[in-house]
C-alpha cells in the first residue's frame, strides 16, 4: 500500500487526502473526470473507500484496466449501462446503508434516471450517508460529478433538502471521515459556501467569463493573488491543471495530471474497436446485494401511493361483500382501510401556471410576434428598394415582380389557379425530382416556412451546388420565395404541385413527428431524448446513454444530421432543441 497518492510525476498527495475536499473545475472536455478518476485511483491504491455519484455514466471504467480488457479496481457498480444491479429511485438510503455497512467502494451511476429521480435518489443517499457515518468514522471519499446539480448555488423547492444534505457532507463530513470532490463545468452554479470549503482546487482549461469570474471569487476568498493565473486558464492544454491549496498543501502550482491506470471510457472509440464490458463481482456477493435490494424495493412499493390506492379499493370491495362474515375480520379490514387512508397524500411538486398567467404569457408572445413581423417587413422593404435602385440584370427580371412577401400569401388557396399555373404542365419536364422535392418541402410548411439547411435535410438533395441550382430554378419560375430567412412555396408553386403535397403538420407534435421520419433509428432516438429534455440541454454522455447510441463516430454523425437540419443545437451544457420557439 503506497503511503502517498500520486497525481503526476511532480505531485503526490498525503493519505489524508481521502478526508479532504477537492474541486475539479473546467470547461467540458478539459480533463475534469479524467483527473478526478486519477485521484480516485490513487485513493483506491491506498486502499481507501471511495464512492462516485455519477450522472454522466463514465465512472464504471475504474473497474477496467487501461487496455480495455484486464481488471481494474474492485468496486461495486450500481445502475447505468454497466451496473451489477439496477438502481431504484427510492433506493438512496438503502445504498448508503449498504456502502457504510460493508465498507465497499462503489460507483453509483444515476445516468439512467430522469432528473427528478436523480435528485430524489441523491437526497436520500446523502442524508443517510451523513447520518450513518456519524456513528462509523472510517475514511470515505465521495466524488460528485455535475456538482452543480446536487450542490446548486440556488436551490428550488425540494432541492433545499438535497443541498442541505450535501452541504453537511462537505462542511462537516471531515469530522466523521468523509471527504468529497466536486466536479463541475459551471463553477458559478455550484453552491458558493460548499465550494469555499474546498481545500484543494484543480482548475483546468476554462474559457467562459462567468466561469472565470466565479473562480476568481474563490481564489480571492482564499486570500491569494490570482489575476495572472486566471488569464492563463483559457490556454491550458487538456489534462493540465492549476492546483491551489493555500492552507492544506500550501501549494499553487501547475500540474500535468498523469495517465490513469484504468480505462478511459470517454475517449472517442477507435472504429472497429470492441465494446468493453466491465467484469462482474463474485456471484455470491451480487446475489446478496440483489436480494437486499429486492427487499427494499418491496418495502418501497408498500409506500407507493398507486399501490396504496389499489389496495384501498380492493379492501373496500372485500368489505362490501363481507356483510355476513366474521365481525373480527370485518373490523380488521376496516382498520386497514382507515390506516391506509390516514397516510399523507402523494406529494405533487409540479408548478402549474394559473389561467391569468397563461393569458399574460400569450399576450407577451403576441406582442413579440407583431414586433418581429414589423421588423422583418421593414427589412424586406429595404431589400426591395435596394433591388429596384440598383441595376437589375436581365436574368433577374422576375425579381422586379417580387413584392414584400407575406407568409399567408403562400398558404394553399382555393381560388382559381393563377395564370402561371397554365404553364405548369410545360414546366413539368423542366424540374427534376430533386427540385420537385424541394418545392414539396417548402409547401409542407406553409405557416412557418423552412430554412435552406432544413430543405436539404427534408428533400434529401446534396447541399451546395445541386441545391443552389434547383433552388435557383424554382425561384426563377416564381415557385418559391424566401421571407425572413425562411422559404415558402408560392401559390404558383402550389398550383404546379397540383395537390401533390405531403400532409401539412399543424401542431408541434406533428412538426416533430414529420421530422422524425427523416432520420435513422439512432438519430431519431436522440431527437426524442432532446425533445423530452426540453428546455434543458442534454450532455453528450447523457444523450449517448439515453438514446442508446455509443459515443463514437455514429453518434457524431447522427448529432451532425440533427444539427444540420437546425433542429438541434449545442452549447457547453449539451444538445438542446433549436426549434424550441414551436413549443
Ligand atoms: N490528464 C490526461 N491525460 C490524458 N488524456 C486526458 C487527460 N485529461 C483528459 N484527457 C482526455 O480528454 C478527454 C476528455 O476528458 P474528460 O476528463 O472526460 O473531460 P471533462 O470531464 O472535463 O469533460 C478524456 O477522455 C481523455 O481522452
Ligand atoms: Mg466529465
Amino acid at each position: 500500500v503506497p503511503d502517498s497518492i500520486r497525481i503526476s510525476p511532480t505531485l503526490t498527495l498525503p493519505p489524508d487526502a481521502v478526508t479532504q475536499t477537492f474541486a475539479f473545475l473546467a470547461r467540458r472536455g478539459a480533463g475534469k473526470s479524467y483527473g478526478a478518476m486519477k485521484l480516485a485511483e490513487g485513493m483506491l491504491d491506498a486502499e481507501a473507500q471511495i464512492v462516485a455519484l455519477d450522472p454522466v455514466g463514465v465512472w464504471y471504467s475504474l473497474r477496467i484496466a487501461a487496455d480495455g480488457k484486464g481488471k481494474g479496481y474492485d468496486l461495486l457498480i450500481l445502475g447505468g449501462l454497466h451496473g451489477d444491479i439496477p438502481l431504484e429511485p427510492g433506493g438512496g438510503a438503502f445504498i448508503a446503508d449498504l456502502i457504510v455497512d460493508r465498507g465497499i467502494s462503489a460507483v453509483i451511476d444515476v445516468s439512467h434516471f430522469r432528473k427528478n429521480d436523480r435528485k430524489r435518489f441523491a437526497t436520500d443517499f446523502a442524508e443517510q450517508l451523513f447520518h450513518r457515518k456519524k456513528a462509523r468514522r472510517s475514511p470515505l471519499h465521495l466524488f460528485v460529478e455535475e456538482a452543480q446539480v446536487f450542490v446548486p448555488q440556488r436551490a428550488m423547492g425540494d432541492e433545499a433538502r438535497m443541498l442541505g444534505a450535501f452541504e453537511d457532507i462537505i462542511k462537516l463530513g471531515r469530522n466523521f471521515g468523509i471527504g468529497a470532490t466536486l466536479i463541475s463545468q459551471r463553477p458559478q452554479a455550484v453552491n458558493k459556501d460548499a465550494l469555499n470549503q474546498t481545500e484543494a482546487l484543480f482548475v483546468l482549461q476554462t474559457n467562459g467569463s462567468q466561469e472565470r469570474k466565479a473562480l476568481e471569487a474563490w481564489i480571492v476568498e482564499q486570500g491569494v493573488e490570482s489575476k495572472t493565473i486566471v488569464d492563463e486558464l483559457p490556454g491550458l492544454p487538456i489534462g493540465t491543471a492549476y492546483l491551489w491549496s493555500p492552507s492544506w498543501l500550501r501549494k499553487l502550482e501547475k500540474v500535468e495530471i498523469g495517465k490513469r491506470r484504468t480505462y478511459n471510457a470517454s475517449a472517442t472509440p477507435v472504429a472497429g474497436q470492441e465494446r468493453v464490458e466491465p467484469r462482474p463481482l463474485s456471484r455470491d456477493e451480487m446475489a446478496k446485494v440483489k436480494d437486499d435490494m429486492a427487499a427494499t424495493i418491496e418495502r418501497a412499493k408498500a409506500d407507493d401511493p398507486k399501490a396504496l390506492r389499489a389496495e384501498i379499493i380492493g379492501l373496500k370491495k372485500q368489505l362490501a361483500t363481507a356483510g355476513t362474515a366474521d365481525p373480527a375480520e370485518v373490523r380488521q379490514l376496516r382498520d386497514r382501510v382507515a390506516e391506509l387512508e390516514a397516510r399523507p397524500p402523494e406529494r405533487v411538486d409540479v408548478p402549474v401556471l394559473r389561467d391569468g398567467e397563461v393569458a399574460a404569457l400569450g399576450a407577451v408572445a403576441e406582442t413579440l410576434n407583431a414586433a418581429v413581423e414589423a421588423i422583418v417587413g421593414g427589412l424586406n422593404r429595404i431589400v426591395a428598394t435596394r433591388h429596384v435602385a440598383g441595376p437589375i440584370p436581365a436574368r433577374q427580371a422576375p425579381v422586379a415582380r417580387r413584392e414584400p412577401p407575406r407568409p399567408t400569401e403562400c398558404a394553399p388557396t382555393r381560388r382559381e389557379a393563377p395564370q402561371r399555373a397554365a404553364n405548369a404542365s410545360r414546366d413539368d419536364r423542366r424540374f427534376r425530382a430533386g427540385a420537385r422535392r424541394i418545392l414539396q418541402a417548402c409547401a409542407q410548411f406553409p405557416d412557418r416556412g423552412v430554412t435552406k439547411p432544413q430543405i436539404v435535410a427534408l428533400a434529401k438533395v446534396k447541399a451546395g451546388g445541386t441545391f443552389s441550382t434547383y433552388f435557383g430554378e424554382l425561384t426563377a419560375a416564381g415557385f418559391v420565395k424566401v421571407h425572413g430567412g425562411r422559404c415558402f412555396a408560392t401559390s404558383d408553386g402550389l398550383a404546379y404541385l397540383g395537390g401533390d403535397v405531403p400532409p401539412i403538420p399543424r401542431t408541434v407534435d406533428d412538426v416533430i413527428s414529420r421530422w422524425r421520419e427523416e432520420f435513422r433509428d439512432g438519430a431519431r432516438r436522440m431527437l426524442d431524448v432532446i425533445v423530452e429534455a426540453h428546455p434543458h440541454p442534454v450532455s453528450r454522455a447523457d444523450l449517448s446513454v439515453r438514446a442508446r447510441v455509443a459515443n463514437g463516430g455514429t453518434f457524431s454523425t447522427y448529432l451532425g444530421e440533427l444539427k444540420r437540419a437546425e433542429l438541434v443545437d449545442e452549447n457547453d451544457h449539451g444538445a438542446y432543441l433549436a426549434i424550441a420557439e414551436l413549443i
Side-chain angles (χ1 to χ4, degrees):
V1 177
D3 60 2
S4 63
I5 292 169
R6 185 162 287 286
I7 300 298
S8 84
T10 57
L11 176 70
T12 55
L13 304 177
D16 75 321
V18 177
T19 53
Q20 296 291 348
T21 44
F22 293 79
F24 283 80
L25 306 174
R27 60 167 276 262
R28 191 180 68 195
K32 297 181 300 293
S33 300
Y34 195 102
M37 281 191 260
K38 176 77 186 166
L39 176 60
E41 288 181 4
M43 290 181 185
L44 288 164
D45 285 337
E47 296 191 347
Q49 185 184 9
I50 68 134
V51 175
L53 180 60
D54 176 18
V56 184
V58 294
W59 279 70
Y60 74 89
S61 60
L62 282 173
R63 200 154 85 194
I64 308 166
D67 64 4
K69 298 191 180 77
K71 196 163 155 33
Y73 295 91
D74 256 336
L75 23 80
L76 187 64
I77 297 169
L78 304 158
L81 279 180
H82 308 271
D84 301 314
I85 49 171
L87 280 181
E88 282 286 308
F94 168 80
I95 296 297
D97 282 339
L98 179 78
I99 283 168
V100 174
D101 289 339
R102 301 181 45 142
I104 46 172
S105 289
V107 170
I108 305 174
D109 185 328
V110 291
S111 62
H112 261 55
F113 282 158
R114 281 155 180 273
K115 251 185 324 205
N116 283 336
D117 286 346
R118 213 173 264 189
K119 287 180 183 165
R120 175 179 169 206
F121 182 95
T123 308
D124 295 344
F125 172 77
E127 275 183 351
Q128 185 71 0
L129 183 70
F130 184 67
H131 173 67
R132 289 294 314 280
K133 285 301 285 181
K134 283 195 260 183
R136 248 189 187 234
R137 305 181 172 205
S138 57
L140 178 157
H141 196 87
L142 176 65
F143 290 87
V144 185
E145 277 272 6
E146 302 284 339
Q148 76 283 356
V149 172
F150 303 109
V151 200
Q153 167 62 7
R154 289 192 322 138
M156 320 277 253
D158 258 7
E159 292 176 354
R161 231 185 91 208
M162 178 176 69
L163 174 60
F166 278 93
E167 272 191 314
D168 281 347
I169 289 180
I170 291 157
K171 289 185 183 168
L172 310 172
R174 196 168 326 176
N175 304 324
F176 313 112
I178 316 181
T181 295
L182 303 177
I183 304 158
S184 177
Q185 54 188 334
R186 298 179 59 211
Q188 68 275 32
V190 181
N191 189 271
K192 278 200 192 58
D193 290 342
L195 212 50
N196 280 337
Q197 299 290 317
T198 321
E199 281 294 343
L201 177 64
F202 285 94
V203 188
L204 298 98
Q205 192 187 97
T206 305
N207 315 65
S209 61
Q210 291 297 318
E211 284 76 4
R212 281 158 63 200
K213 227 191 260 161
L215 290 173
E216 204 156 350
W218 184 89
I219 297 158
V220 168
E221 181 83 15
Q222 310 289 323
V224 282
E225 211 284 308
S226 67
K227 187 71 185 119
T228 54
I229 290 171
V230 171
D231 289 344
E232 220 183 297
L233 295 178
L236 288 181
I238 306 297
T240 297
Y242 261 108
L243 163 66
W244 266 291
S245 178
S247 25
W248 172 46
L249 299 171
R250 298 181 181 281
K251 268 190 179 156
L252 165 52
E253 65 182 45
K254 209 191 250 187
V255 184
E256 280 176 40
I257 291 169
K259 286 270 171 292
R260 282 175 51 198
R261 278 189 49 198
T262 50
Y263 183 59
N264 179 12
S266 51
T268 312
V270 180
Q273 186 184 306
E274 261 180 86
R275 223 170 75 100
V276 191
E277 289 300 333
R279 299 173 46 147
L281 294 188
S282 87
R283 207 179 279 171
D284 288 352
E285 198 158 22
M286 230 136 73
K288 161 97 177 73
V289 173
K290 256 184 198 154
D291 286 351
D292 292 352
M293 187 82 160
T296 329
I297 293 167
E298 271 313 306
R299 271 206 305 277
K301 256 194 214 141
D303 286 332
D304 175 37
K306 265 198 216 117
L308 283 182
R309 271 200 298 275
E311 193 184 346
I312 293 176
I313 291 168
L315 286 172
K316 281 186 170 166
K317 264 196 202 134
Q318 245 176 294
L319 264 177
T321 55
T324 55
D326 174 8
E329 202 180 314
V330 171
R331 202 175 320 122
Q332 214 180 330
L333 283 173
R334 275 215 184 98
D335 287 351
R336 177 77 181 139
V337 170
E339 186 214 328
L340 290 178
E341 284 183 334
R343 298 226 182 152
E346 188 178 354
R347 261 186 306 152
V348 181
D349 300 317
V350 189
V352 182
L353 288 180
R354 277 164 292 151
D355 279 350
E357 288 169 327
V358 174
L361 280 177
V364 170
E366 250 165 45
T367 316
L368 279 177
N369 277 339
V372 169
E373 280 294 308
I375 292 167
V376 170
L379 286 175
N380 268 318
R381 270 193 296 283
I382 292 168
V383 171
T385 343
R386 291 242 170 104
H387 273 297
V388 173
I392 302 165
R395 222 163 41 78
Q396 281 188 20
V399 170
R401 264 189 343 103
R402 196 200 281 160
E403 310 125 28
R406 279 170 289 126
T408 46
E409 208 182 273
C410 308
T413 53
R414 298 204 179 281
R415 66 191 157 82
E416 282 291 301
Q419 190 51 48
R420 284 196 66 91
N423 301 330
S425 57
R426 208 190 60 215
D427 290 337
D428 226 351
R429 275 166 289 125
R430 237 181 49 217
F431 289 112
R432 274 158 293 180
R436 200 180 163 85
R437 288 199 303 274
I438 290 178
L439 184 53
Q440 282 172 323
C442 295
Q444 239 200 310
F445 293 89
D447 299 319
R448 57 190 315 265
V450 277
T451 65
K452 288 181 178 175
Q454 290 179 329
I455 297 177
V456 169
L458 284 168
K460 302 260 186 297
V461 290
K462 256 176 102 177
T466 314
F467 172 80
S468 305
T469 309
Y470 288 165
F471 197 79
E473 288 170 358
L474 291 166
T475 310
F479 284 4
V480 295
K481 273 185 177 176
V482 182
H483 169 73
R486 299 185 161 275
C487 311
F488 298 87
T490 60
S491 40
D492 288 3
L494 291 169
Y496 168 79
L497 286 175
D500 184 14
V501 180
I504 291 168
R506 292 295 180 194
T507 65
V508 173
D509 285 347
D510 281 353
V511 172
I512 287 169
S513 331
R514 171 67 187 87
W515 274 108
R516 288 180 85 251
E517 295 165 22
E518 295 306 318
F519 299 99
R520 286 169 284 180
D521 282 354
R524 188 180 294 173
R525 286 197 303 273
M526 284 163 67
L527 178 60
D528 288 348
V529 169
I530 293 166
V531 168
E532 191 190 297
H534 176 77
H536 300 285
V538 192
S539 74
R540 283 187 173 217
D542 241 355
L543 187 55
S544 155
V545 171
R546 282 160 65 188
R548 304 192 306 283
V549 179
N551 197 345
T554 321
F555 177 93
S556 302
T557 308
Y558 289 163
L559 191 57
E561 283 171 10
L562 294 172
K563 281 163 84 168
R564 268 195 305 283
E566 297 186 338
L567 298 175
V568 167
D569 212 336
E570 216 180 357
N571 64 16
D572 255 18
H573 309 303
Y576 60 90
L577 193 63
I579 50 167
E581 86 274 15
L582 278 177
I583 293 180

